[in-house]
Amino acid sequence: MSIIRTEHVSKSFGKLEVLKDINLTVDAGEVVCIIGPSGAGKSTYLRSLNQLEKITSGKIFIDDQLFLHREKDHTVERVDPATQKKLLLEMGMVFQRFNLFPHMTVMDNITLAPRKVKGMGKSEAETIGLQLLQKVGLAEKANVYPNTLSGGQQQRVAIARALAMQPKIMLFDEPTSALDPEMVGEVLNVIRDLTKEGMTMIIVTHEMGFAREVSDRVFFMDEGIVMEQGKPADLFSKPQLKRTQDFLAKVL
């Protein structure tokens, strides 16, 4: 069963078309990495899945349900508000920037959404929060404030915060791009652990070695188009298109 499916998705900002006819399916338990140059539309695609950007045309399916159908910037069909909320809560997202609330402790950052959105009690939320902090190696940081943490630590807290909502799928938008090089590994290790647990993930990344290692399939995007896709061993070792070959030659 597919968790995410998009059909003929396009997105324009005025006259600038940043997504062009994107057809992509992610099955339960699958890890998909999206690679490509800056400006290819990778982050816009990810943000369109959870409605941070509204598509211009196309269909988005979540859990095999038609979530949204738009044509020429008008909504043709969408799920009812209650189902929309339920489906959106099944997607956790981690951004390039950590977006932690600076005036709240690490624990409060993690437990805020489960308490406010899901109505979870404080004790239960904090129990889950501590388990997640242990998962990301930061149990001792529960009561500190984000500005006392390194960038890598803040991003690990952001991952724990997203996991606290118990999502079915995790979206990662270049989760290491804002980090110093020595901090990249600690964040990638957390994501590696999630792959071993069977978490469904879409990861936009510039870390080619990581994409080759963890993904079931890799999509190469450029100029708003999925140029090529395949298993990592195939796409990285013998890409079919010259554009893919040129890109990989520069980044590998």
Side-chain angles (χ1 to χ4, degrees):
M1 185 184 78
S2 67
I3 285 189
I4 294 288
R5 185 167 87 252
T6 58
E7 297 180 356
H8 307 295
V9 162
S10 300
K11 170 64 180 176
S12 297
F13 294 100
K15 294 183 178 180
L16 178 63
E17 192 175 15
V18 295
L19 295 177
K20 306 170 186 176
D21 198 36
I22 303 293
N23 298 282
L24 194 154
T25 300
V26 181
D27 293 328
E30 190 174 25
V31 178
V32 166
C33 284
I34 303 176
I35 63 171
S38 297
K42 307 182 300 295
S43 294
T44 300
Y45 176 73
L46 217 59
R47 291 167 64 87
S48 73
L49 297 178
N50 62 6
Q51 302 297 280
L52 293 176
E53 299 289 354
K54 187 166 286 187
I55 61 173
T56 303
S57 295
K59 296 178 181 179
I60 298 174
F61 295 82
I62 303 176
D63 269 355
D64 277 339
Q65 298 183 64
L66 178 59
F67 178 79
L68 177 65
H69 177 198
R70 282 171 62 80
E71 296 297 338
K72 298 180 179 178
D73 236 0
H74 293 284
T75 299
V76 177
E77 185 179 357
R78 72 181 312 145
V79 294
D80 62 90
T83 304
Q84 176 182 339
K85 178 180 178 181
K86 174 182 176 293
L87 292 174
L88 287 176
L89 289 177
E90 292 178 355
M91 283 191 283
M93 187 160 183
V94 177
F95 300 87
Q96 298 177 32
R97 295 288 174 180
F98 328 119
N99 296 334
L100 300 176
F101 294 112
H103 63 289
M104 299 172 66
T105 66
V106 164
M107 181 61 78
D108 287 341
N109 267 278
I110 293 172
T111 59
L112 178 65
R115 294 176 63 191
K116 298 295 186 183
V117 178
K118 300 183 81 171
M120 192 178 293
K122 180 179 180 182
S123 177
E124 181 184 2
E126 290 186 348
T127 297
I128 293 172
L130 185 57
Q131 291 171 349
L132 290 170
L133 284 174
Q134 290 170 340
K135 180 192 289 283
V136 301
L138 293 171
E140 75 284 0
K141 301 295 186 181
N143 297 313
V144 306
Y145 289 86
N147 64 3
T148 67
L149 303 177
S150 69
Q153 290 172 329
Q154 289 188 59
Q155 191 63 297
R156 283 187 279 159
V157 171
I159 294 172
R161 178 180 60 183
L163 291 173
M165 293 297 285
Q166 301 171 317
K168 287 186 177 181
I169 181 170
M170 286 285 287
L171 311 177
F172 290 92
D173 185 10
E174 298 184 22
T176 60
S177 65
L179 302 180
D180 292 333
E182 65 268 23
M183 297 177 184
V184 168
E186 62 191 50
V187 172
L188 295 184
N189 283 337
V190 171
I191 302 175
R192 281 189 186 94
D193 289 341
L194 292 177
T195 67
K196 295 172 185 175
E197 295 172 8
M199 173 64 75
T200 309
M201 291 187 274
I202 305 177
I203 307 168
V204 170
T205 184
H206 290 296
E207 302 288 340
M208 297 299 122
F210 177 72
R212 184 198 293 257
E213 174 192 348
V214 304
S215 58
D216 297 297
R217 285 184 298 146
V218 179
F219 289 76
F220 172 66
M221 283 185 68
D222 190 25
E223 297 182 351
I225 300 169
V226 175
M227 295 276 189
E228 189 168 349
Q229 63 169 294
K231 293 185 179 298
D234 295 331
L235 191 135
F236 284 108
S237 299
K238 43 180 184 289
Q240 300 301 302
L241 299 180
K242 187 176 187 305
R243 179 67 189 96
T244 317
Q245 295 167 4
D246 291 345
F247 172 78
L248 292 175
K250 293 176 181 177
V251 299
L252 291 178

